[in-house]
Amino acid sequence: MTTSTVTITKSPLHETSKVEYSTQAEEQKTNFFEDVHYLGDKEGKVIIRSPPTFSNKEEERKYQKQHLAAAFRVFAKQGFDEGVAGHISLRDPFNPEHFWINPLSTHFSQIRVSDLVLVNEKGEVLPEGAQSAINGPAFAIHSEIHRARPDLNAACHAHSVYGKAFSCFGRPIEMLYQDALRFYKDIAVYPRFGGTVLSTEEGARIAKALGPTMRNIILQNHGMITCGKTVDEAAFLFIALDRCCHAQMMANAAACPGFEKIYIRDEEAEFTHRKSGNSSKMWLAFQPYYDQVVKEDPTVLH
């Protein structure tokens, strides 16, 4: 496999870095550009930003932790904070059985990279991260999702208002409008409420309900979880799903004779899901939120 070196010049929010990538990484970038279907200039010099590639695991871990910390700030701005509830986890690049998560009782709006906690598969806090306690239910849920789905590297759960309200129906959102199609055949339901999740057995049941391919799940009478290959993908899906829950309930409330809901056909839904709900598009959709919180407070990256 051949390799080459390229200098990537990023926005003022990022530093210029040199990364070495393989031909496989080049193919991944080509696929990314096709997935986000953007338009540039005739010479191909104007391109959209894309996920960086890394020459070593240290660089990868630093980048991912920065985006994890920023995701908490974004959630705070979206109003997804509520006491000590809510958590986002990120699989560690060095050891896939370990993951990073937020410290218990630190407000989302205050979390920085240095506050992130690394835990092992037993839920034990490891010395590489902050020496802070974590949420027990968070470990019970996230550890089982990471265990069951090696294709997913991040998972988000928070007690958002619309996610909670819609969860009481114990059903997925309906394919009524374009944005809902991000979740076409990509949203499961955990059809029970077992109280506060205190055991990994309950976490395993949630992971089983998520299934082998879906990224999103409604937890009946509880809320929702969204997952992704990147924390960017998982975080944007959470924002999008919460808004879809809101829109779904508004549509339900407005429906009446003469104003019946019109559903999108499977053919159009499947096509739109591939084009608008793919991992590349979800990563890109999160970047403006990332930029916003980093510009407002660069110390989030410290």
Side-chain angles (χ1 to χ4, degrees):
M1 183 177 292
T2 61
T3 62
S4 57
T5 301
V6 62
T7 298
I8 298 178
T9 303
K10 301 179 181 178
S11 70
L13 299 175
H14 306 88
E15 61 181 7
T16 300
S17 62
K18 262 189 177 181
V19 295
E20 189 178 77
Y21 62 92
S22 65
T23 53
Q24 182 180 3
E26 293 180 35
E27 292 173 0
Q28 291 174 345
K29 282 191 176 292
T30 299
N31 293 335
F32 175 89
F33 294 144
E34 292 175 350
D35 284 343
V36 300
H37 45 84
Y38 77 99
L39 298 177
D41 64 320
K42 182 179 179 180
E43 288 75 25
K45 297 178 180 179
V46 176
I47 59 174
I48 192 70
R49 57 180 163 181
S50 61
T53 52
F54 307 95
S55 59
N56 59 66
K57 294 292 184 181
E58 287 289 353
E59 287 184 4
E60 184 179 0
R61 176 190 268 182
K62 178 181 178 181
Y63 171 88
Q64 291 189 8
K65 288 174 63 180
Q66 288 177 340
H67 282 243
L68 175 59
F72 288 110
R73 299 292 185 101
V74 171
F75 272 32
K77 293 179 72 67
Q78 295 290 322
F80 296 158
D81 55 293
E82 185 169 335
V84 297
H87 15 87
I88 307 175
S89 64
L90 175 68
R91 195 187 301 275
D92 184 57
F94 282 96
N95 189 330
E97 293 186 344
H98 299 170
F99 60 87
W100 296 88
I101 199 164
N102 50 305
L104 182 63
S105 195
T106 298
H107 196 271
F108 286 176
S109 68
Q110 302 299 311
I111 290 177
R112 301 179 299 173
V113 167
S114 56
D115 296 314
L116 299 173
V117 182
L118 181 64
V119 298
N120 63 17
E121 64 276 15
K122 298 178 181 178
E124 298 167 337
V125 174
L126 298 175
E128 292 93 329
Q131 297 302 286
S132 302
I134 67 165
N135 186 301
F139 176 77
I141 295 172
H142 291 257
S143 63
E144 292 303 319
I145 290 176
H146 285 295
R147 189 193 314 276
R149 294 290 300 277
D151 58 313
L152 300 175
N153 294 315
C156 303
H157 173 62
H159 291 184
S160 60
V161 173
Y162 300 119
K164 286 188 295 187
F166 187 74
S167 74
C168 71
F169 298 106
R171 59 186 300 172
I173 59 170
E174 298 172 332
M175 301 298 108
L176 293 171
Y177 44 89
Q178 179 170 305
D179 289 343
L181 302 181
R182 295 187 180 110
F183 304 96
Y184 176 72
K185 293 187 177 180
D186 196 9
I187 183 166
V189 174
Y190 182 54
R192 59 171 285 176
F193 177 69
T196 300
V197 182
L198 297 178
S199 68
T200 54
E201 287 79 9
E202 179 72 354
R205 286 191 286 268
I206 292 173
K208 183 177 179 180
L210 181 64
T213 60
M214 296 188 187
R215 297 176 293 179
N216 314 280
I217 185 168
I218 299 289
L219 308 179
Q220 183 181 298
N221 305 113
H222 187 168
M224 56 195 196
I225 298 173
T226 60
C227 307
K229 296 177 181 178
T230 63
V231 68
D232 310 70
E233 176 184 4
F236 181 75
L237 284 171
F238 195 95
I239 295 170
L241 183 53
D242 190 66
R243 294 182 179 181
C244 283
C245 290
H246 187 188
Q248 176 77 64
M249 290 185 292
M250 291 181 68
N252 289 351
C256 64
F259 282 86
E260 292 82 7
K261 292 183 290 187
I262 300 173
Y263 296 87
I264 297 173
R265 298 188 310 169
D266 285 345
E267 183 179 358
E268 286 80 6
E270 194 278 332
F271 173 80
T272 305
H273 175 72
R274 283 190 289 107
K275 294 298 183 181
S276 299
N278 62 68
S279 296
S280 299
K281 199 71 175 288
M282 298 301 90
W283 178 92
L284 184 63
F286 183 74
Q287 301 317 300
Y289 296 92
Y290 175 87
D291 293 345
Q292 182 184 37
V293 297
V294 173
K295 185 174 183 180
E296 289 178 351
D297 183 9
T299 66
V300 65
L301 304 181
H302 297 167

